[in-house]
Amino acid sequence: MNCPIPISQYSQILLAHGGGGKLTQELVDKLFRPAFHNPALAAGHDGALITLPQQRMAFTTDSYVIHPLFFPGGDIGSLSVYGTVNDLAMCGAKPLYLSAGFILEEGLMMETLWKVVLSMKDACERVGVQLVTGDTKVVNQGKGDGIFINTAGVGIMEHDEMIGPDQILPGDCILINGDIGRHGMAVMAEREGLQFESSIQSDAAPLHGLVQDLIQAGIEIHCLRDLTRGGLGGAVHELAQTRGLEFYLEQKNILVRQDVQGACEILGLEPLQVANEGRLIVIVPEKDKDRAVSVMQKNEMGTEARMIGHVTQGEKPRVLISSLIGTTRILDRPSGEPLPRIC
Amino acid sequence: MNCPIPISQYSQILLAHGGGGKLTQELVDKLFRPAFHNPALAAGHDGALITLPQQRMAFTTDSYVIHPLFFPGGDIGSLSVYGTVNDLAMCGAKPLYLSAGFILEEGLMMETLWKVVLSMKDACERVGVQLVTGDTKVVNQGKGDGIFINTAGVGIMEHDEMIGPDQILPGDCILINGDIGRHGMAVMAEREGLQFESSIQSDAAPLHGLVQDLIQAGIEIHCLRDLTRGGLGGAVHELAQTRGLEFYLEQKNILVRQDVQGACEILGLEPLQVANEGRLIVIVPEKDKDRAVSVMQKNEMGTEARMIGHVTQGEKPRVLISSLIGTTRILDRPSGEPLPRIC
């Protein structure tokens, strides 16, 4: 699909595209509404009127400021859909509706915006969610960075399971759906212009289907957490602190692709702290762990699913990790910023 | 309340505050969560689990990029609550829950963030909404502008009225709840350092109470629209186009304060196109207009409510306005950007 706003007329975003006048209307009518067409959006209202199939719902939000906008395996558009869909999935919810708030920098190429919008549209179709309400603002050149996107999401809870950090118990097993570190390293390699033998592709993908499979199989899920900013290490740290328990990881079971490991070494990064966008941990009681791994492996998002550790009462809330040679160390949480603007 | 993050430690926002590590956690635990404390936020989940009192809901989003962050009568914090609350109210919904996505610029003063967060908290309490889920990102210095905020809102429909542009009929009356142009001029005066005899205060305020009063009084509301970007002129233009009808306004009934009129003349602006943040038009059938005005006047947001025009079949979708001396002209829609970054 070609960009529907004639290039000869306005090839770049102007401040006026955010001013609420003719150009704002043109952007909405020619670019956003046709891409995401659905009844709620077509109504041209200040918000979307929707009827949920039930009253118990999940609500979440995330802003996306990733730089660069396009990277191997994805772009800010698909990321802004999958990221918020995954946050809903982590609550155990079925994602249904998204909102989108665009903050555009004056001078952005119209073609770039169109590419991003098409990518969001494709991602929405893949997941089966509708983008029902939106907003566009334009900031002066030098006061933004191309495109920032916020998406908020609404999903429904189709089950009575309680899923959350407070459900985690000592003895629970920690499962993961694949290798780690690819998203962060794909973005960093693109940003820094690093060349590797094979290009590292981001793992960005929607995880709601995998979660639905686990729920439908009757797995007793205690907690789900996607491994975005802060990576696997950040996620288990946060859960250890929130729940007040000790988390124990086994390095030998944690998959890191060789090219990702190499890129991390070049940049002085720890793969455990690198962001992923298609990885989650699933925390389940011991009795359900084998069945859960088997369900995950049958889903395309979990072919390499495995158990990587467990939860214990422990001495205090912290994360321990056993090395490849069998020694155990405390995994510290980075205070710094290993990878800025990775999502 | 003093800023809860010790000034001596981090007086400014660092990139690491958006990195998903210790500093992100500190920002959430010490600043955001205490300010907005509620059970959904306290759960520390990837999203908020909420149970709506019913299934018919409204969902909306808006990003706020206003410059400067503080202006007479408000700031970006309260604006980001009232603006989204008002969008829900325009759907006829009762606002219940908000999300907040912050995009902070590296180097932002922590005290500034805290002032904005406190203002959001006060605004939420005034309206009676809960901020239940959020996200914070940090961009490099020079790639943002202090603070951008996105809020998305969820509200419920407590009635069976159909309210929206498609309900507007020829013969309907156009009512307004007060004078126009104050928000835009308050922000512009602050930004440009203009001095007037009396400082112009923004009209920013929540409108959900006024709308609830109209609904409870059994007024047959055909459409509601707040008069933000593009002002009164922009709003009626958009409705005329969407509905395919002619809108007729009477200048003599449209209130513009003298200082606002003066400021507009200095800056070469048309008050009809200046943004408001506490003004709406209410479109009702002729039979209900007097009662609707009377209900509005009893609410503190509508003491100067009045009728300013009506809708006709007309020749084509457009907006006509009669001048003070009785002549009628076509009100054009500005294609340009009269006031950038006003909300």
Side-chain angles (χ1 to χ4, degrees), chain A residues 50 64 86 129 146 201 226 241 255 279 287 291 295 303 306 315:
Chain A
I50 48 191
Y64 300 85
N86 288 349
V129 291
Q201 299 275 317
D226 54 351
Q241 292 300 324
L255 284 182
R279 292 293 173 258
K287 69 172 175 67
R291 212 156 53 86
V295 169
T303 49
R306 60 194 55 210
E315 290 172 40

Side-chain angles (χ1 to χ4, degrees), chain B residues 174 232-241 244-250 254 272-273 281 308-312 314-322 328-333:
Chain B
I174 306 167
L232 171 59
V236 288
H237 259 290
E238 202 177 314
L239 293 177
Q241 292 301 324
L245 293 172
E246 193 169 85
F247 280 57
Y248 183 88
L249 300 179
E250 286 180 84
I254 299 171
L272 285 165
Q273 291 165 355
I281 49 173
I308 56 165
H310 60 273
V311 181
T312 68
E315 290 172 41
K316 52 181 172 179
R318 61 179 177 176
V319 180
L320 298 176
I321 185 162
S322 71
T328 298
R329 65 183 170 96
I330 295 173
L331 184 69
D332 265 337
R333 183 161 204 186

Side-chain angles (χ1 to χ4, degrees), chain B residues 9-334:
Chain B
Q9 197 184 354
Y10 303 108
S11 62
Q12 295 183 308
I13 289 291
L14 313 177
L15 272 178
H17 281 110
K22 274 184 200 158
L23 291 187
T24 304
Q25 194 67 38
E26 183 176 85
L27 206 59
V28 171
D29 289 344
K30 294 196 178 173
L31 205 137
F32 292 117
R33 210 171 270 151
F36 301 113
H37 65 97
N38 57 62
L41 208 57
H45 217 328
D46 278 328
L49 297 185
I50 48 191
T51 301
L52 294 181
Q54 53 160 73
Q55 290 164 245
R56 196 158 161 251
M57 61 168 266
F59 181 35
T60 190
T61 191
D62 243 328
S63 299
Y64 300 86
V65 300
I66 191 166
H67 172 76
L69 298 176
F70 301 88
F71 50 84
D75 59 74
I76 192 172
S78 53
L79 193 66
S80 72
V81 173
Y82 298 149
T84 295
V85 159
N86 288 349
D87 279 344
L88 290 172
M90 295 311 109
C91 301
K94 179 181 176 179
L96 289 183
Y97 299 105
L98 294 185
S99 68
F102 294 87
I103 298 177
L104 309 178
E105 185 189 9
E106 181 188 19
L108 174 75
M109 296 306 293
M110 194 67 79
E111 280 285 347
T112 305
L113 177 60
W114 180 237
K115 270 176 74 177
V116 167
V117 165
L118 279 187
S119 171
M120 291 181 80
K121 162 194 152 74
D122 290 345
C124 285
E125 285 171 3
R126 176 174 176 191
V127 174
V129 291
Q130 290 190 343
L131 200 156
V132 290
T133 185
D135 174 59
T136 309
K137 294 292 190 307
V138 180
V139 296
N140 323 62
Q141 202 147 27
K143 298 293 182 185
D145 196 12
I147 307 180
F148 299 147
I149 303 176
N150 174 285
T151 50
V154 166
I156 49 163
M157 305 296 284
E158 292 186 311
H159 54 85
D160 295 323
E161 300 289 322
M162 299 299 291
I163 297 173
D166 53 344
Q167 302 296 311
I168 301 172
L169 295 174
D172 280 357
C173 297
I174 306 167
L175 318 179
I176 196 169
N177 67 324
D179 66 312
I180 61 167
R182 272 199 277 137
H183 175 72
M185 295 326 296
V187 175
M188 285 308 284
E190 183 75 17
R191 194 190 297 172
E192 305 297 327
L194 299 180
Q195 299 292 329
F196 302 104
E197 271 182 48
S198 61
S199 133
I200 300 173
Q201 299 276 316
S202 166
D203 62 324
L207 297 171
H208 64 297
L210 181 70
V211 172
Q212 294 294 317
D213 287 355
L214 287 166
I215 291 170
Q216 275 162 24
I219 303 292
E220 185 182 326
I221 304 170
H222 287 178
C223 190
L224 300 164
R225 184 61 55 116
D226 54 352
L227 311 178
T228 55
R229 278 188 293 180
L232 171 59
V236 288
H237 259 290
E238 202 177 314
L239 293 177
Q241 292 301 324
T242 304
R243 186 60 185 88
L245 293 172
E246 193 169 85
F247 280 57
Y248 183 88
L249 300 179
E250 286 180 84
Q251 184 89 59
K252 71 173 194 299
N253 292 334
I254 299 171
L255 284 181
V256 183
R257 273 175 42 158
Q258 212 167 2
D259 51 3
V260 170
Q261 185 71 51
C264 279
E265 281 166 16
I266 291 171
L267 294 168
L269 295 167
E270 162 60 74
L272 285 165
Q273 291 165 355
V274 174
N276 314 273
E277 288 290 344
R279 293 292 172 261
L280 84 167
I281 49 173
V282 179
I283 300 182
V284 297
E286 219 273 335
K287 69 171 175 68
D288 276 0
K289 76 166 197 296
D290 293 334
R291 210 155 55 84
V293 168
S294 149
V295 168
M296 289 164 77
Q297 285 176 345
K298 288 194 189 102
N299 185 293
E300 59 169 333
M301 295 304 151
T303 51
E304 296 187 310
R306 60 193 53 209
M307 174 167 160
I308 56 165
H310 60 273
V311 181
T312 68
Q313 188 64 55
E315 290 172 41
K316 52 181 172 179
R318 61 179 177 176
V319 180
L320 298 176
I321 185 162
S322 71
S323 74
L324 295 177
I325 54 165
T327 57
T328 298
R329 65 183 170 96
I330 295 173
L331 184 69
D332 265 337
R333 183 161 204 186

Side-chain angles (χ1 to χ4, degrees), chain A residues 94-343:
Chain A
K94 178 181 175 180
L96 289 183
Y97 299 105
L98 295 185
S99 68
F102 294 87
I103 298 177
L104 309 178
E105 185 189 9
E106 181 188 17
L108 174 75
M109 296 306 293
M110 194 66 81
E111 280 286 347
T112 305
L113 177 60
W114 180 238
K115 271 176 75 178
V116 168
V117 165
L118 279 187
S119 171
M120 290 181 81
K121 163 194 153 76
D122 290 345
C124 284
E125 286 171 3
R126 176 174 175 190
V127 173
V129 291
Q130 289 190 345
L131 200 156
V132 289
T133 185
D135 174 59
T136 309
K137 293 291 190 308
V138 180
V139 295
N140 323 63
Q141 201 148 28
K143 299 293 182 184
D145 197 12
I147 306 180
F148 299 147
I149 303 177
N150 174 285
T151 50
V154 165
I156 49 163
M157 304 295 285
E158 292 185 311
H159 55 85
D160 295 322
E161 299 290 321
M162 299 298 292
I163 298 173
D166 53 343
Q167 302 297 312
I168 301 171
L169 293 174
D172 280 357
C173 297
I174 306 167
L175 318 179
I176 196 169
N177 67 323
D179 66 313
I180 61 168
R182 271 199 278 138
H183 175 72
M185 295 326 296
V187 176
M188 286 307 285
E190 184 74 18
R191 193 190 298 170
E192 305 297 327
L194 298 181
Q195 300 291 332
F196 302 103
E197 269 181 49
S198 60
S199 134
I200 300 173
Q201 299 275 317
S202 167
D203 62 324
L207 297 170
H208 65 297
L210 180 70
V211 172
Q212 294 294 316
D213 286 355
L214 287 166
I215 291 170
Q216 275 161 25
I219 302 293
E220 184 183 326
I221 303 170
H222 287 177
C223 191
L224 300 164
R225 183 63 53 116
D226 54 351
L227 311 178
T228 55
R229 277 188 294 181
L232 172 60
V236 288
H237 259 290
E238 203 178 311
L239 293 177
Q241 292 300 324
T242 304
R243 186 60 185 87
L245 293 171
E246 194 169 86
F247 280 57
Y248 184 88
L249 300 178
E250 286 180 85
Q251 185 88 60
K252 70 174 193 302
N253 292 334
I254 299 171
L255 284 182
V256 182
R257 273 176 42 159
Q258 212 167 1
D259 51 4
V260 170
Q261 185 71 49
C264 280
E265 281 166 16
I266 291 170
L267 294 167
L269 295 167
E270 162 60 74
L272 286 165
Q273 292 164 356
V274 173
N276 313 274
E277 289 290 343
R279 292 293 173 258
L280 84 166
I281 49 173
V282 179
I283 301 184
V284 297
E286 219 274 335
K287 69 172 175 67
D288 276 0
K289 76 164 197 297
D290 293 335
R291 212 156 53 86
V293 168
S294 149
V295 169
M296 289 164 77
Q297 286 175 345
K298 288 194 190 103
N299 185 293
E300 58 169 334
M301 294 304 151
T303 49
E304 295 186 310
R306 60 194 55 210
M307 173 167 160
I308 56 164
H310 60 272
V311 181
T312 69
Q313 189 63 55
E315 290 172 40
K316 51 181 174 179
R318 61 179 179 180
V319 180
L320 299 176
I321 185 162
S322 71
S323 74
L324 295 178
I325 55 166
T327 58
T328 298
R329 66 184 169 95
I330 295 173
L331 184 68
D332 266 336
R333 183 162 202 186
S335 70
E337 168 60 74
L339 295 172
R341 298 185 56 191
I342 214 75
C343 61

Side-chain angles (χ1 to χ4, degrees), chain A residues 11-31:
Chain A
S11 62
Q12 294 183 307
I13 288 291
L14 313 176
L15 272 178
H17 281 111
K22 275 183 201 160
L23 290 188
T24 303
Q25 194 66 38
E26 183 176 85
L27 205 58
V28 171
D29 288 345
K30 294 197 177 171
L31 204 137

